[in-house]
């Protein structure tokens, strides 16, 4: 039941205010002892010609609330009307819903019939997949999962960086210093080696710059030899990337990269010319965006070549033509914010209304405690795969030591499986536990803390709760929905409230494109559960009815944590 809507409906009838306005005014009190919902009466003072406190007194006593069997009481607290939901009814309603839905809890049909495109990951071909790329990859995947959960048709786009002058440099470098055997054995490593070498040699040999420019021109013109090398580099890179994607459980619907849209650049240029939007500026062709408060958007450079903006315009036009999207999301770093504002403004100025459906979702930087920065040119990078490997290795060491200390017998295969899921989860969670615009500073102590705001803590909470359910089953006890109205103490109720708010957290996360809003709720659920666990005996409860009701609460916690972690790409384990 949507208690807030029910209360808003009655308040609308009493006050004469529009339902939507009432609904927006209803608040969640800052403290649980102040009730579940609160309605401020300040807005009614002018129309009712009374002090807000007097209005609150009258509304709280209105007979319309007496018929609500699920409402424990309505009282005025100063100028507010505070509403208290019957805890037993709320427990039955909330936990019954969760257990019946299982992992599907939180699903909605808000997006039914609507299509959302999420562009994310988008690594550069022939370059290593470093920890910076993980930000767009993890945030983008989370958003895709969240929108899918809400019923949208989601198209996952991987806009590969497979076009540009760097390929002229790579072709030149490979012909000069490439090792075929090393390329076959470890393509990204070999391509990085020659790319770094090119930039070192280029400083003292300007002829290399000219050769690279010539080779890129040949690639643009479709010369067979240059195209063959480009395709080779692209195909080999995708093999490496897909290995990492498989490990992270990621899939994409479309890998069209810059090269794909570069072929459509002429159509973009011609369209802008026909609409008389192109003007010359220092030899370049630009679209003036002064009315939007942005610098001019370059479409053609002075040498006649296109740039990112041209190709992004082509991509947006292609996507709308083929998918008729209701929203087109670009998960790209904050430094590209102006670029996307310009691209969307050009679309708007060209008369494409779907410009308003395009949205840039920015994110922060990735750092380590020694302030390491990443530069492919200098070879100074931290590979995502190596970070995950180290996280898994450290997790394995922790789990192995814990097993020895607790006398728990686990096979090597089981330890390896658990370490992979927890270690990978620790990395993923680091990217989604805070607002996406905040910078990330990696710390092993924080990432792998089994008692902190981490994936290991959440996964362990799930596993420990599963262990209780297994022990109960051995004793002949099963979760039961029959006596959920017994779950009324403060710890039980606060936990059930946290579980009930999970579905709203998913909607808020989608509205703000902020996966951390889901993770914040999952973390609250885990902490509320552990408080309940420490203060209330589950298998040692006074009656069998209470035991089974608390087991149902445990089942709901497991379902919700599992569902929430899945939304960011983290798997749970059944025991640790």
């Amino acid at each position: 039941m949507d208690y807030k809507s029910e209360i808003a409906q009655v308040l609308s009838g009493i006050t004469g205010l529009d339902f939507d306005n009432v609904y927006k005014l209803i608040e969640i009190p800052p403290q649980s002892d102040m009730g579940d919902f609160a309605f401020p009466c300040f807005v009614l003072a002018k129309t009712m010609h009374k002090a807000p406190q007097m209005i609150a007194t009258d509304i709280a006593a209105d007979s319309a609330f007496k018929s609500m069997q699920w409402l424990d009481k309505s009282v005025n607290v100063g100028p507010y009307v505070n509403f208290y939901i019957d805890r037993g009814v709320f427990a039955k309603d909330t936990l019954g819903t969760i257990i019946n839905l299982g992992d599907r809890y939180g699903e909605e049909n808000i997006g039914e019939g609507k299509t959302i495109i999420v562009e994310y990951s988008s690594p550069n071909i022939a370059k290593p997949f470093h920890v910076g790329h993980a930000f767009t990859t993890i945030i983008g995947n989370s958003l895709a999962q969240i929108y899918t959960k809400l019923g949208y048709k989601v198209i996952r786009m991987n806009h590969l960086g497979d076009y540009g002058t760097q390929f002229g440099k790579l072709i030149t470098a490979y012909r000069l210093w490439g090792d075929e055997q090393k390329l076959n054995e470890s393509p990204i490593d070999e391509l990085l080696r020659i790319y770094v070498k090119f930039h070192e040699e280029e400083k003292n040999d300007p002829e290399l710059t000219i050769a690279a420019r010539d080779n890129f021109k040949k690639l643009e013109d479709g010369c067979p030899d240059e195209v063959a090398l480009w395709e080779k580099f692209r195909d080999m890179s995708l093999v490496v990337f897909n290995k990492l994607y498989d490990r992270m459980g990621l899939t994409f619907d479309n890998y069209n990269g810059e090269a794909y849209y570069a072929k459509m650049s002429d159509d973009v240029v011609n369209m802008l010319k026909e609409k008389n939007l192109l003007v010359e500026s220092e030899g370049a062709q630009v679209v003036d965006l002064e009315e939007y408060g942005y610098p001019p958007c370059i479409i053609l450079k002075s040498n006649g070549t296109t740039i990112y903006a041209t190709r992004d315009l082509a991509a947006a036009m292609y996507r709308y033509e083929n998918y008729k999207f209701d929203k087109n999301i670009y998960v790209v770093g904050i430094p590209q914010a102006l670029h996307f504002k310009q691209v969307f403004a050009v679309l708007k100025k060209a008369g494409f209304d779907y410009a308003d459906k395009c949205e840039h979702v920015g994110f922060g930087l990735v750092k380590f405690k020694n302030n390491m920065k990443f530069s492919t040119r200098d070879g100074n990078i931290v590979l995502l795969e190596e970070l995950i490997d180290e996280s898994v290795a450290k997790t394995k060491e922790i789990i192995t030591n814990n097993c020895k200390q607790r006398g728990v017998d686990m096979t090597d295969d089981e330890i390896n499986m658990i370490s992979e899921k927890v270690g990978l989860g620790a990395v993923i969670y680091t990217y989604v536990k805070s607002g996406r615009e905040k910078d990330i500073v990696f710390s092993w102590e924080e990432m792998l803390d089994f008692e902190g705001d981490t994936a290991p803590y959440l996964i362990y909470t799930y596993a420990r709760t599963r262990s209780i359910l297994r022990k109960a089953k051995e004793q002949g006890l099963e979760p039961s929905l029959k006596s959920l109205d017994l779950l009324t103490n403060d710890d039980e109720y606060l936990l059930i409230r946290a579980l009930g708010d999970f579905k709203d957290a998913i909607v808020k996360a989608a509205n703000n494109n902020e996966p951390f809003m889901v993770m914040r709720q999952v973390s609250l659920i885990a902490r509320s559960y552990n408080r309940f666990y420490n203060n209330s005996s589950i298998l040692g409860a006074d009656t069998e009815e209470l035991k089974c009701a608390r087991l149902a609460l445990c089942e709901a916690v497991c379902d919700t944590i599992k569902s929430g972690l899945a939304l960011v790409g983290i798997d749970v384990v059944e025991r640790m």
Side-chain angles (χ1 to χ4, degrees):
M1 179 184 295
D2 187 342
Y3 299 101
K4 184 177 177 180
S5 290
E6 293 290 328
I7 292 172
Q9 195 68 50
V10 174
L11 284 171
S12 178
I14 294 172
T15 64
L17 293 177
D18 178 78
F19 169 84
D20 290 337
N21 290 331
V22 173
Y23 189 88
K24 291 175 182 176
L25 287 169
I26 294 175
E27 305 171 2
I28 304 295
Q31 297 174 336
S32 60
D33 60 356
M34 297 175 68
D36 300 290
F37 300 101
F39 177 71
C41 297
F42 305 102
V43 70
L44 299 170
K46 286 185 177 181
T47 56
M48 291 189 173
H49 307 293
K50 289 183 181 179
Q53 186 170 346
M54 294 178 63
I55 297 172
T57 302
D58 293 342
I59 291 177
D62 196 286
S63 60
F65 294 115
K66 306 300 181 184
S67 61
M68 294 179 168
Q69 297 181 354
W70 47 266
L71 186 65
D72 184 38
K73 59 183 177 179
S74 56
V75 298
N76 73 291
V77 180
Y80 287 83
V81 182
N82 287 20
F83 300 91
Y84 294 75
I85 308 301
D86 184 289
R87 291 185 173 187
V89 173
F90 184 76
K92 274 190 170 183
D93 180 25
T94 303
L95 298 183
T97 298
I98 296 172
I99 291 172
N100 285 329
L101 290 174
D103 294 348
R104 292 178 52 241
Y105 176 54
E107 288 184 2
E108 298 282 355
N109 61 358
I110 295 171
E112 186 176 356
K114 298 179 180 178
T115 297
I116 285 185
I117 291 175
V118 184
E119 177 194 304
Y120 60 104
S121 195
S122 309
N124 291 319
I125 291 299
K127 293 184 180 179
F129 201 110
H130 60 66
V131 296
H133 293 129
F135 221 146
T136 168
T137 304
I138 291 168
I139 294 293
N141 177 61
S142 300
L143 292 177
Q145 300 281 21
I146 287 167
Y147 280 112
T148 299
K149 188 88 169 177
L150 296 178
Y152 292 89
K153 178 182 178 181
V154 177
I155 309 296
R156 294 162 168 83
M157 289 275 190
N158 195 336
H159 187 83
L160 297 173
D162 59 359
Y163 192 82
T165 56
Q166 70 266 30
F167 290 99
K169 296 175 182 179
L170 267 178
I171 291 169
T172 304
Y174 183 71
R175 286 172 172 166
L176 289 172
W177 310 296
D179 186 315
E180 183 74 17
Q181 182 177 344
K182 289 182 179 178
L183 183 68
N184 290 326
E185 291 174 354
S186 185
I188 298 295
D189 289 340
E190 176 62 5
L191 292 172
L192 176 61
R193 181 187 71 81
I194 63 174
Y195 186 73
V196 172
K197 184 175 178 62
F198 180 91
H199 283 279
E200 291 173 348
E201 299 292 334
E202 185 185 26
K203 295 173 185 177
N204 301 313
D205 187 357
E207 292 297 320
L208 287 174
T209 306
I210 296 171
R213 190 180 299 123
D214 290 343
N215 281 325
F216 179 58
K217 182 65 167 59
K218 291 177 181 177
L219 178 62
E220 282 192 302
D221 293 341
C223 294
D225 291 344
E226 284 70 26
V227 170
L229 276 179
W230 173 81
E231 289 178 342
K232 184 174 186 176
F233 297 158
R234 188 181 191 275
D235 292 345
M236 285 183 160
S237 298
L238 279 175
V239 169
V240 177
F241 295 156
N242 283 327
K243 181 181 177 183
L244 183 58
Y245 290 145
D246 288 344
R247 185 179 189 181
M248 298 176 71
L250 305 179
T251 59
F252 295 92
D253 301 302
N254 189 297
Y255 284 88
N256 289 343
E258 286 192 67
Y260 184 86
Y261 300 112
K263 296 179 294 186
M264 306 174 189
S265 295
D266 287 345
D267 294 335
V268 172
V269 173
N270 292 334
M271 177 272 294
L272 294 173
K273 284 181 179 178
E274 290 173 3
K275 294 177 180 285
N276 296 316
L277 295 179
L278 284 184
V279 296
E280 186 175 331
S281 175
E282 298 180 3
Q285 295 293 310
V286 307
V287 176
D288 183 78
L289 299 175
E290 185 177 359
E291 67 264 45
Y292 297 96
Y294 307 141
C297 182
I298 299 174
I299 303 300
L300 290 175
K301 292 191 288 187
S302 58
N303 62 2
T305 58
T306 61
I307 64 168
Y308 290 117
T310 323
R311 298 187 284 276
D312 278 338
L313 288 167
M317 293 166 65
Y318 169 87
R319 290 173 186 178
Y320 191 75
E321 182 179 345
N322 285 273
Y323 298 103
K324 296 295 186 291
F325 57 76
D326 293 275
K327 188 180 285 190
N328 180 26
I329 294 172
Y330 299 80
V331 186
V332 184
I334 290 174
Q336 296 299 315
L338 176 59
H339 164 79
F340 283 106
K341 288 177 180 178
Q342 289 175 299
V343 169
F344 302 158
V346 171
L347 288 171
K348 186 77 171 176
K349 192 167 183 175
F352 299 112
D353 292 340
Y354 58 80
D356 294 332
K357 299 179 180 181
C358 296
E359 187 171 351
H360 170 226
V361 174
F363 52 83
L365 300 175
V366 180
K367 304 174 182 177
F368 285 79
K369 284 198 169 178
N370 61 358
N371 291 321
M372 181 182 296
K373 296 181 180 179
F374 311 109
S375 171
T376 306
R377 290 186 178 187
D378 298 332
N380 178 23
I381 58 174
V382 176
L383 301 180
L384 177 59
E385 186 172 21
E386 291 180 357
L387 181 71
I388 294 172
D389 287 343
E390 190 167 354
S391 181
V392 171
K394 288 181 179 294
T395 302
K396 183 176 180 180
E397 183 179 351
I398 294 170
I399 292 174
T400 301
N401 290 337
N402 285 345
C403 286
K404 289 178 181 178
Q405 292 173 6
R406 292 159 43 209
V408 176
D409 184 28
M410 281 191 185
T411 66
D412 289 343
D413 287 345
E414 190 173 8
I415 290 176
N416 289 336
M417 180 274 292
I418 293 172
S419 300
E420 175 70 17
K421 289 186 176 183
V422 176
L424 175 58
V427 173
I428 292 175
Y429 190 77
T430 303
Y431 287 89
V432 295
K433 73 175 185 178
S434 303
R436 54 180 164 75
E437 295 189 353
K438 294 182 179 179
D439 294 346
I440 290 174
V441 180
F442 275 99
S443 164
W444 290 120
E445 293 78 10
E446 295 174 7
M447 285 172 60
L448 299 177
D449 184 356
F450 278 69
E451 296 181 357
D453 183 15
T454 64
Y457 171 76
L458 299 176
I459 296 172
Y460 177 68
T461 299
Y462 175 90
R464 182 167 69 173
T465 310
R466 275 290 170 218
S467 176
I468 294 170
L469 290 167
R470 286 193 297 271
K471 288 179 182 176
K473 192 170 185 178
E474 291 171 0
Q475 297 176 20
L477 297 171
E478 295 280 355
S480 173
L481 304 182
K482 293 181 180 178
S483 302
L484 294 178
D485 54 354
L486 296 175
L487 304 176
T488 57
N489 73 37
D490 287 346
D491 290 331
E492 291 164 341
Y493 186 62
L494 288 175
L495 173 55
I496 297 169
R497 278 301 306 261
L499 290 167
D501 289 340
F502 173 71
K503 60 184 185 300
D504 293 330
I506 299 175
V507 176
K508 290 178 182 177
N511 290 340
N512 294 277
N513 289 317
E514 282 282 17
F516 98 95
M517 290 181 170
V518 174
M519 289 302 94
R520 181 176 59 187
Q521 194 64 31
V522 173
S523 180
L524 175 62
I525 289 167
R527 294 196 179 283
S528 299
Y529 171 77
N530 283 313
R531 188 183 304 113
F532 154 72
Y533 174 84
N534 290 327
N535 295 336
S536 305
S537 177
I538 298 173
L539 298 181
D542 294 337
T543 65
E544 184 166 320
E545 287 81 4
L546 184 55
K547 291 178 185 177
C548 293
R550 286 179 173 170
L551 288 173
L553 179 54
C554 290
E555 185 72 46
V557 167
C558 284
D559 288 341
T560 309
I561 290 178
K562 182 177 181 180
S563 178
L565 290 178
L567 290 177
V568 297
I570 297 176
D571 287 335
V572 295
V573 299
E574 295 301 308
R575 70 169 185 152
M576 287 177 70

